[in-house]
Amino acid sequence: MSLITTAAPRTTATPAATARRRPARSAGTPYAFLAPAMILFAAFLAAPIVYAAYLSLRKVKVSGLGLGAKSRTEIWAGLDNYARSLSDPDFLPSVGRIGLYGLIVVPTMLGLALLFALLLDANRTRRSVGKFARISIFLPYAVPAVVGSLLWGFLYLPRVSPITDAFEAVGITAPELLSRDLTLWAVANIAVWGGTGFNMIVIYTALRAVPLSLYESARIDGASEVAIAWRIKIPIVTPSLIMTFVFSLIATLQVFAEPMTLRPLANTISTTWTPLMKVYRDAFTRNDLYAAAATSVIIALATFILSFGFLKLVGRRAFNQED
C-alpha cells in the first residue's frame, strides 16, 4: 500500500499584487526627514553668507552732521568696500603673517599626527598601551581653543611660568616667548598642540582598516617596519592625509581664538594680527560692518579657491579619479 501525496500548487505573487500589499509611502516623506537639517542650514549658514555678501556691496551715506533721523542712508557701493579692504595697509601684513603661520603649523601638525598614527598602528596588539596613548594625544583637541590659549598664555608669561623657573634652575636665560620675534611661534605651538590629536585619529582610523595579513606578507618578504610604513602604510592613508591637509588649511585661514586670547597678555599682537581679527576690529570697534563683510567674503573666497585648487591638483592621483 503506497501513499501518494500531492503537493499544493505554489502561487507566485505578481509584482502588481506585491505593490498593492506594500504600504503606501507619501512622496514627501524623505523631505520631511530632511526638513529640520535644511531649515537649520538655511537659517544659520546660507542666510548669513547671503547677508554678508549683500552688506559687502552696500555703504552708508552721511548727510550733514549725521545727527538727524534720516541723515544716514544705506546706498549701493559696488566693489568699493572690496577695494578699501584690499588697499588697507593692515590687510596684506596680516595675510603674510597667516602664510608664515600656515607654513609652520600645517607640516608640523600633520607630520606629528602621521608619526603618532604609525607608532600606534605598529603596536596594534598592545591594546592597553594604545588606548591610553590615543586618549592622551587626542585630549588636547577636546580642550576649547580659548581655554587652551589661556593655559599656554600663562605658561608663556615669565613671572608665573614654570618654564622660566626650569631655565633659571640650570642657569639659562629663558626666552621671551611673547616677544615680537617669537609670538608667531608661540601661537603656532598652541595650534599644533590642539590639532594634532584630531588628525592623528583620522589617519589612525584609516590604518586600522588595513588587514594585518598585508603587513605579515611584507614581513615574510623581508620588509622592515620602516619599509612597511613608507611603502605600504603611507600610500594607503594618502587620501586621509589630503583630507586633514584641507581641514588644516581652512583652520589656518580662519585662525582667531588663539591670538585674540593672547592679545591681553602681550603687546606684540595687534588688532589686525590675522585677517579675521581685522574683520572683528572693523565690525565691532570701528562699527564698519560693510568693510568687515567685504573682508569676510574675501577670506571665504580665498579659502574656497585654495581648498578646491588643492583637491583638483591632487584628487585624481590620491582618490583614483578619472576625467
Side-chain angles (χ1 to χ4, degrees):
M1 182 177 180
S2 61
L3 296 177
I4 301 175
T5 59
T6 305
R10 298 175 60 183
T11 59
T12 303
T14 63
T18 304
R20 284 195 298 269
R21 288 198 300 266
R22 187 179 300 164
R25 184 177 63 180
S26 174
T29 301
Y31 299 100
F33 285 102
L34 290 174
M38 295 172 65
I39 292 173
L40 292 175
F41 176 84
F44 296 103
L45 188 62
I49 292 174
V50 173
Y51 186 60
Y54 168 79
L55 286 180
S56 68
L57 301 174
R58 309 288 289 181
K59 67 180 180 180
V60 171
K61 180 181 179 182
V62 180
S63 301
L65 297 178
L67 301 177
K70 298 183 178 180
S71 60
R72 294 175 176 268
T73 56
E74 189 178 275
I75 62 173
W76 177 260
L79 299 178
D80 290 347
N81 292 322
Y82 293 94
R84 285 197 298 128
S85 296
L86 293 174
S87 61
D88 191 319
D90 295 324
F91 181 71
L92 289 181
S94 68
V95 173
R97 205 174 289 117
I98 284 301
L100 293 176
Y101 170 88
L103 290 176
I104 297 171
V105 170
V106 176
T108 305
M109 183 166 57
L110 295 186
L112 288 174
L114 177 62
L115 176 63
F116 290 148
L118 291 174
L119 290 176
L120 289 173
D121 189 70
N123 296 320
R124 189 184 296 188
T125 56
R126 302 177 184 179
R127 295 184 178 181
S128 59
V129 177
K131 185 176 181 179
F132 175 77
R134 289 197 304 271
I135 295 175
S136 301
I137 298 172
F138 180 78
L139 189 60
Y141 178 75
V143 178
V146 174
V147 176
S149 300
L150 282 174
L151 292 175
W152 279 102
F154 284 106
L155 289 176
Y156 293 154
L157 290 177
R159 294 184 179 180
V160 297
S161 174
I163 299 176
T164 303
D165 297 336
F167 273 97
E168 292 177 353
V170 296
I172 302 175
T173 302
E176 293 285 344
L177 297 176
L178 293 178
S179 63
R180 187 173 300 276
D181 295 333
L182 298 178
T183 300
L184 183 66
W185 296 90
V187 177
N189 172 67
I190 300 174
V192 171
W193 173 79
T196 300
F198 170 79
N199 295 309
M200 181 273 296
I201 289 295
V202 173
I203 299 171
Y204 180 69
T205 302
L207 287 173
R208 292 279 293 182
V210 181
L212 292 175
S213 59
L214 181 61
Y215 304 148
E216 294 297 333
S217 300
R219 292 188 184 98
I220 293 174
D221 291 338
S224 64
E225 293 297 328
V226 176
I228 292 174
W230 185 256
R231 296 182 179 275
I232 298 177
K233 294 184 178 181
I234 294 179
I236 288 176
V237 300
T238 297
S240 298
L241 285 172
I242 292 174
M243 182 180 67
T244 54
F245 179 88
V246 173
F247 289 163
S248 302
L249 178 63
I250 295 173
T252 297
L253 295 174
Q254 298 178 355
V255 62
F256 176 79
E258 293 86 352
M260 197 69 178
T261 306
L262 291 178
R263 187 171 174 271
L265 304 178
N267 57 4
T268 56
I269 300 178
S270 64
T271 57
T272 58
W273 201 79
T274 67
L276 274 186
M277 291 179 68
K278 178 184 178 301
V279 172
Y280 182 88
R281 183 205 64 178
D282 291 342
F284 300 105
T285 303
R286 295 184 174 181
N287 199 27
D288 190 356
L289 295 177
Y290 309 97
T295 307
S296 299
V297 172
I298 293 173
I299 296 173
L301 289 176
T303 303
F304 173 78
I305 292 172
L306 291 176
S307 303
F308 182 79
F310 177 77
L311 289 175
K312 191 69 175 178
L313 179 65
V314 303
R316 185 175 64 178
R317 178 179 178 182
F319 300 101
N320 295 323
Q321 295 176 351
E322 297 181 359
D323 293 333

